[in-house]
Each structure stands twice: as C-alpha cells, then as structure tokens.
Amino acid sequence: VPGRRRWLRALLRSPIVGEAIHNGLVSKPAIRYFLADHGVANPSKITDEWIDDDWKNAHCPGSRFVTGAFLGGFLDLDVDLGALLGRVDVPITLLWGADATHPKRATGRELAERSGCRFVAFENAALLVHAEHPTEFVETIRSLGPRAPRRVRLRPEWSPVGSDRVVPRSRRVLSAVSLRRPLRVLHG
C-alpha cells in the first residue's frame, strides 16, 4: 500500500497494544507464513532454526518500532530508484529471484534497464535469494568482474563452511538442502 500511514506507525509504537500487534505479526507461525508466501520459492527450505533466528531478531529491544516504520510506509523510498542508480559511478548488478512476487521479476528487469544496471535472476528463488542459494549467490558476486571482492567479508556471526562456501551458521541446513537440486542462474 503506497503512502505513509502515520496512524499505523503510532499504533505499533504504543506500549501495550503496539507490543501485542507486533508480537502477533512476528510470531513463529507468522514468520513461517510470510517466508513461505513471498520470501522463498520452496517453503520446504524454511527450517525451524531459520524461524528461531528470525524470531530472536524480531524480538530485540525496540524492534516493534522497525515493524511500525515498515508497515507505516516510512521505509519506502520516495525517490526514483532507477534514476538514482543510473547516477552511481560504479557498475551495479541487481540480483533477483526469478520467482519473486513482491516485487516481481519484471519490476527488477525494468529497473535494471532504466538505470543501466546488469540484471541477474536466480531460478527457484524468490525474495531471499541469498538465503535460498547462499553458495550460488556468493559465486555470482565473485564472478561479476574485477571489482567484485575475492573474499566476501561478512559479520562475525557468519562462518565459512567447507572450502568454498560462506553461509551463516544458522543457514547450514538450508545451504545443504539448496545444493541437492542444481540451480540455473539466468543472466539478463
């Protein structure tokens, strides 16, 4: 829903009612639902460990303020992203899930065309390409050219698994599942 909804942000910021609404929106069943609905192409990849990690992150102190800002529309860009990306002086590649529904693949392709960016779509992936196919995601970044870093530096809670894969500790099961089925990366 476009536009800012101050009343919704204010409601989620309120001490008792806001906390109750927030807790319902980021409950474990709700997290699983939202991931399956538009986060991933294959809901069987959603592990209990993934849900637990997301739940912990969503229940950090002050997290309801982020939920309120998101649902209230205060995190939406009010600039032309295509024009903004077109002014950036380095090569940009948009990595997109071919099965993404919000925003759709066509939206990503159109954004890339308007801004002069490269566009890479991952098959069997939706919104969270990096979580569904972490190995292929990192390999794609590495293959983008000389400006791509040789080693992707990630936050300390992330750790290398195997000799050529970097995945979060909480996504080890997920990456093993994603490697069972070959992934085709579509360019352009």
Side-chain angles (χ1 to χ4, degrees), residues 12-78:
L12 279 153
R13 287 178 159 204
S14 66
I16 297 170
V17 175
E19 287 180 36
I21 293 170
H22 170 76
N23 287 335
L25 290 170
V26 295
S27 66
K28 290 182 180 183
I31 291 169
R32 185 174 299 279
Y33 168 78
F34 290 124
L35 285 172
D37 182 60
H38 57 271
V40 297
N42 182 356
S44 68
K45 291 184 179 183
I46 302 169
T47 64
D48 289 339
E49 186 178 19
W50 184 349
I51 300 297
D52 290 343
D53 284 350
D54 283 4
W55 186 90
K56 287 174 192 169
N57 287 329
H59 287 83
C60 291
S63 60
R64 79 174 193 274
F65 299 110
V66 177
T67 304
F70 174 71
L71 294 176
F74 288 84
L75 302 181
D76 298 345
L77 291 176
D78 43 2

Side-chain angles (χ1 to χ4, degrees), residues 122-135:
F122 288 75
E123 274 194 349
N124 303 315
L127 186 62
L128 303 174
V129 175
H130 62 286
E132 287 190 89
H133 304 290
T135 302

Side-chain angles (χ1 to χ4, degrees), residues 1-14:
V1 178
R4 292 194 171 157
R5 296 161 298 284
R6 294 183 192 285
W7 66 270
L8 186 54
R9 181 181 70 167
L11 182 64
L12 279 153
R13 287 178 159 204
S14 66

Side-chain angles (χ1 to χ4, degrees), residues 100-132:
T101 57
H102 184 75
K104 294 182 179 186
R105 178 183 184 176
T107 303
R109 184 181 307 283
E110 189 268 330
L111 177 62
E113 289 171 3
R114 280 189 312 134
S115 60
C117 297
R118 289 182 284 188
F119 182 80
V120 177
F122 288 75
E123 274 194 349
N124 303 315
L127 186 62
L128 303 174
V129 175
H130 62 286
E132 287 190 89

